[in-house]
């Protein structure tokens, strides 16, 4: 059931070297720098997004993900969600407006899987980058690299998937779009959505809590994925796998690493859902095909290389 | 450009590394597989080694996998060090922070391959 959470809003990623990270996220991926703050964080957005930023980079000793945030429709819904989170047993941290520049107050909490999430309602509306609000052209000129269209979702690795499912579905109003079941019927992967998208967030079972697998960015076509792969080779960027297709979501994809070892995905296409759709199920015995539809074999890296 | 010989003590394997090249990248270029390859960015810790002899230049690497103290006692991630001399090493994977038997059993995949 809908609880007023609209969509993914931003992700804060830790990087070892900001200058190198910007080459990755701006020059290669094609995000646009929109601001910096006193603590040295850099704010980025993809061109089709309407708010000021969707990716925040923070220089730190350990790479990984600080938090992922979702945008809530209004203050009333946010207040209700806060109450529901507390009733569910979550510890809430209030982050005051302005701690992230031009972003309103944020409500922070941690899932049983060990990941930090945020809810907020306000962020400065700057409109799509490089386009007029009235009579907008098809796309802006002067985009760089892969010309990422939008920040789309994150995949996290951790344990306690059942408790995390309960939080996201029953408290936050996500629905289960797709899952992987082991032979005993336990869910070892859950792809959750707020929209018609194949996923807005995903979790895969892993013994260690709080691990970050990737942040994913949307491209329009398979040709764009191939062009992304060309750029990855031209820049000698470490690649994980691709270009290929996923079984899960059926998206066309390529995975590569930022200079701090955080994984990035760009993908195109994929399935859609409406409320009358049943969740799609894959079996863990066929996990190779579920993850990499063409090779039908998992690479060890996809399961074990995390930040 | 200078070249250095890098030796894996455990497997008795040698490969050549350019002075401006990360050791892990040189290993892959030479077709060797003695060090596991992960993110190649100092983040995941998969290519952790213990340096037995020789000195490298250190690039940034995750403190989660190599603390300052460990770095001083010769640990490094092979993807973030460049040689300043001939070097020898052995692989030194870090034990996992937590072990949950049930979770690891769930992901014991028959089809896993490198």
């Amino acid at each position: 059931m809908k609880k007023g959470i609209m969509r993914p809003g931003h992700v804060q990623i830790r990087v070892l070297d900001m200058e190198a990270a910007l080459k990755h996220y701006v020059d290669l991926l094609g995000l646009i720098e929109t601001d910096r703050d006193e603590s040295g964080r850099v704010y980025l957005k993809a061109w089709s997004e309407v708010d000021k930023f969707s990716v925040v980079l923070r220089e730190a000793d350990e790479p990984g993900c600080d938090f992922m945030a979702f945008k809530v429709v209004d203050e009333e819904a946010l207040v209700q969600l806060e109450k529901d989170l507390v009733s569910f047993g979550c510890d809430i941290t209030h982050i005051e407006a302005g701690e992230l520049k031009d972003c309103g107050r944020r409500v922070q909490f941690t899932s049983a899987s060990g990941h930090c999430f945020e809810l907020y309602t306000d962020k400065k509306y700057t409109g799509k980058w490089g386009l007029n609000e009235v009579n907008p052209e098809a796309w802006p000129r002067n985009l760089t690299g892969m010309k990422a269209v939008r920040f789309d979702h994150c995949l996290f690795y951790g344990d306690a998937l059942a408790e995390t499912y309960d939080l996201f579905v029953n408290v936050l109003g996500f629905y289960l779009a797709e899952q992987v079941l082991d032979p005993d019927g336990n869910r070892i992967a859950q792809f959750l959505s707020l929209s018609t998208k194949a996923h807005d967030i995903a979790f895969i079972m892993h013994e260690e809590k709080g691990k970050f697998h990737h942040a994913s960015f949307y491209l329009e076509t398979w040709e764009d994925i191939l062009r992304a792969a060309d750029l990855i080779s031209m820049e000698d960027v470490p690649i994980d796998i691709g270009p290929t297709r996923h079984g899960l979501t059926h998206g066309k994809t390529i995975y590569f690493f930022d200079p701090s070892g955080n994984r990035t995905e760009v993908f195109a296409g994929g399935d859609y859902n409406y409320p009358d759709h049943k969740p799609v199920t894959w079996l863990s015995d066929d996990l190779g095909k579920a993850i990499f539809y063409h090779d039908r074999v998992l690479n060890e890296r996809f399961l074990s290389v995390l930040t | 450009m200078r070249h250095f010989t890098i030796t894996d003590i455990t497997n008795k394997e040698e490969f050549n590394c350019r002075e401006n090249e990360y050791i892990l990248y040189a290993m892959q270029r030479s077709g060797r597989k003695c060090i596991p390859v992960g993110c190649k960015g100092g983040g995941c810790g998969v290519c952790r080694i213990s340096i037995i002899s020789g000195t490298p230049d250190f690039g940034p690497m995750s403190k989660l996998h190599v603390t300052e103290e460990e770095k001083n006692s010769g640990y490094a991630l092979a993807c973030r060090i460049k040689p300043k001399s001939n070097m020898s090493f052995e692989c030194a994977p870090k034990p996992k922070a937590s072990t949950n038997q049930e979770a690891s059993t769930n992901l014991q995949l028959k089809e896993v391959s490198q």
Side-chain angles (χ1 to χ4, degrees), chain A residues 61 182 205 207 259 300 303, chain B residues 41 43 63 96 106-107 109 112:
Chain A
D61 284 344
D182 76 6
M205 179 68 98
E207 63 196 30
E300 171 66 25
L303 292 178
Chain B
K63 296 277 189 292
K96 293 236 170 83
N106 282 337
L107 282 177
L109 303 162
V112 166

Side-chain angles (χ1 to χ4, degrees), chain B residues 51-64:
Chain B
I51 299 163
I52 307 298
S53 68
T55 40
D57 269 331
F58 284 84
M61 59 188 74
S62 176
K63 296 277 189 292
L64 182 67

Side-chain angles (χ1 to χ4, degrees), chain A residues 59-303:
Chain A
E59 202 169 80
D61 284 344
E62 298 171 16
C65 176
D66 280 333
F67 48 77
M68 179 185 181
F70 297 95
K71 192 174 186 185
V72 177
V73 65
D74 57 25
E75 178 66 19
E76 191 185 345
L78 183 59
V79 168
Q80 186 59 49
L81 280 159
E82 261 181 270
K83 287 180 189 161
D84 295 346
L85 282 165
V86 170
S87 311
F88 185 73
C90 285
D91 288 331
I92 302 264
T93 306
H94 291 278
I95 313 287
E96 63 185 37
E99 195 277 335
L100 277 170
K101 278 174 112 172
D102 290 312
C103 185
R105 77 180 186 96
R106 291 133 59 206
V107 173
Q108 224 174 51
F109 57 96
T110 302
S111 63
S113 60
H115 300 93
C116 182
F117 295 101
E118 297 184 342
L119 303 176
Y120 70 97
T121 60
D122 292 322
K123 192 184 286 177
K124 188 175 182 184
Y125 190 101
T126 53
K128 295 187 181 185
W129 183 85
L131 297 184
N132 293 330
E133 209 166 323
V134 178
N135 297 341
E137 302 297 351
W139 38 262
R141 293 169 200 257
N142 306 322
L143 292 169
T144 58
M146 298 174 189
K147 309 179 185 186
V149 176
R150 66 163 185 260
F151 164 54
D152 190 85
H153 65 269
C154 287
L155 169 59
F156 295 107
Y157 274 39
D159 66 353
L161 287 204
E163 293 89 331
T164 303
Y165 174 94
D166 197 17
L167 170 67
F168 272 80
V169 172
N170 297 322
V171 181
L172 302 176
F174 288 67
Y175 69 87
L176 179 68
E178 208 148 346
Q179 61 183 342
V180 179
L181 300 179
D182 76 6
D184 298 326
N186 300 310
R187 202 179 286 122
I188 61 163
Q190 51 204 25
F191 286 56
L192 308 172
S193 179
L194 293 157
S195 60
T196 59
K197 284 168 55 193
H199 48 355
D200 286 308
I201 189 167
F203 295 91
I204 289 184
M205 179 68 98
H206 183 70
E207 63 196 30
E208 211 176 337
K209 282 186 191 292
K211 301 306 281 186
F212 178 46
H213 190 273
H214 71 261
S216 182
F217 298 84
Y218 181 79
L219 300 182
E220 276 193 338
T221 68
W222 173 242
E223 195 68 24
D224 292 332
I225 302 293
L226 190 65
R227 190 174 161 280
D230 292 341
L231 288 165
I232 287 166
S233 281
M234 287 179 200
E235 299 298 326
D236 202 19
V237 167
I239 194 165
D240 188 4
I241 195 160
T244 183
R245 184 195 286 279
H246 287 305
L248 284 146
T249 76
H250 295 128
K252 289 149 275 189
T253 179
I254 186 164
Y255 287 99
F256 49 110
F257 293 101
D258 82 5
S260 308
N262 298 302
R263 196 186 271 93
T264 305
E265 177 188 35
V266 290
F267 84 103
D271 297 330
Y272 66 90
N273 303 298
Y274 280 105
D276 60 338
H277 290 197
K278 291 178 186 171
V280 173
T281 298
W282 292 83
L283 302 177
S284 63
D285 285 347
D286 304 303
L287 194 59
K289 187 173 181 178
I291 307 260
F292 300 124
Y293 188 68
H294 298 144
D295 281 359
R296 284 158 280 150
V297 175
L298 270 172
N299 67 349
E300 171 66 25
R301 254 201 315 275
F302 196 83
L303 292 178

